[in-house]
Amino acid sequence: MLAADIAAETWRREKKAIPNPGGYLQSLCAALVVPSWYQTSEERKAKALEAEERRLASKKSQDELKAAEEKEAQAREEYWASISEAERHGFRLAVTRFGFELPVTAIAAMAKTLAWESRSRMYTQEHSAPQ
C-alpha cells in the first residue's frame, strides 16, 4: 500500500506518464525508498483540512467586513437623508472648493462622505468631552 501511495504521489507531483506502471510499481515494492518529500495520506488529509478551515475563516472574515461596510454605507445614506438641503449644499460646496471639475455623482459621493466624517467627529467630540 505504501509503495502504491508513493507511486500515486510521484505521478501527481511529476505529472508525466510512466511507460510501464506495473514494472515501476514492482520496482518500488522490491526496493522501497521513501522520498523525503513524501507525506502519508493522513498528513495530506490533515493539511487539506487545515487549508479548508483557513479558506472558510477567510471567507467568513470577508463576509463580516462586507456586511460592516454595507451597514456603514446604509448609515451614511440615512444620515445624508436626515440633514437639511442647506447642509447638503454646504457639503457639496466644500467638495467643489478643491478646484477640480468632477462629475455630479462624484461630488455627491464625496459630499456624503464629508458629511459622515463631520458627523462622526462631532459625535466623538460630544462623547469625549469632560463632564
Side-chain angles (χ1 to χ4, degrees), residues 5-76:
D5 194 42
I6 290 172
E9 287 303 302
T10 300
W11 289 335
R12 280 191 203 109
R13 286 174 64 97
E14 295 178 6
K15 297 185 187 327
K16 63 181 180 181
I18 305 290
N20 181 4
Y24 176 72
L25 191 55
Q26 185 176 2
S27 67
L28 276 178
C29 289
L32 183 61
V33 176
V34 178
S36 60
W37 53 262
Y38 176 75
Q39 296 176 336
T40 65
S41 62
E42 291 81 20
E43 292 171 323
R44 293 190 306 269
K45 286 177 188 173
K47 283 189 175 185
L49 183 60
E50 288 174 13
E52 180 65 11
E53 288 172 354
R54 283 193 305 273
R55 186 190 70 77
L56 290 174
S58 175
K59 184 179 180 333
K60 182 181 177 186
S61 176
Q62 289 173 353
D63 290 347
E64 289 172 352
L65 178 62
K66 184 178 178 181
E69 289 172 349
E70 288 173 358
K71 185 177 179 180
E72 183 177 329
Q74 180 66 31
R76 189 170 38 245

Side-chain angles (χ1 to χ4, degrees), residues 62-121:
Q62 289 173 353
D63 290 347
E64 289 172 352
L65 178 62
K66 184 178 178 181
E69 289 172 349
E70 288 173 358
K71 185 177 179 180
E72 183 177 329
Q74 180 66 31
R76 189 170 38 245
E77 289 296 324
E78 289 172 0
Y79 179 69
W80 182 254
S82 73
I83 62 176
S84 70
E85 183 55 40
E87 289 174 301
R88 290 184 208 161
H89 183 70
F91 286 116
R92 285 188 206 103
L93 280 177
V95 169
T96 57
R97 287 189 188 141
F98 293 118
F100 298 110
E101 235 179 272
L102 300 169
V104 174
T105 54
I107 292 171
M110 292 172 71
K112 288 176 185 179
T113 300
L114 190 60
W116 180 254
E117 290 173 353
S118 172
R119 175 215 159 271
S120 297
R121 279 193 301 272

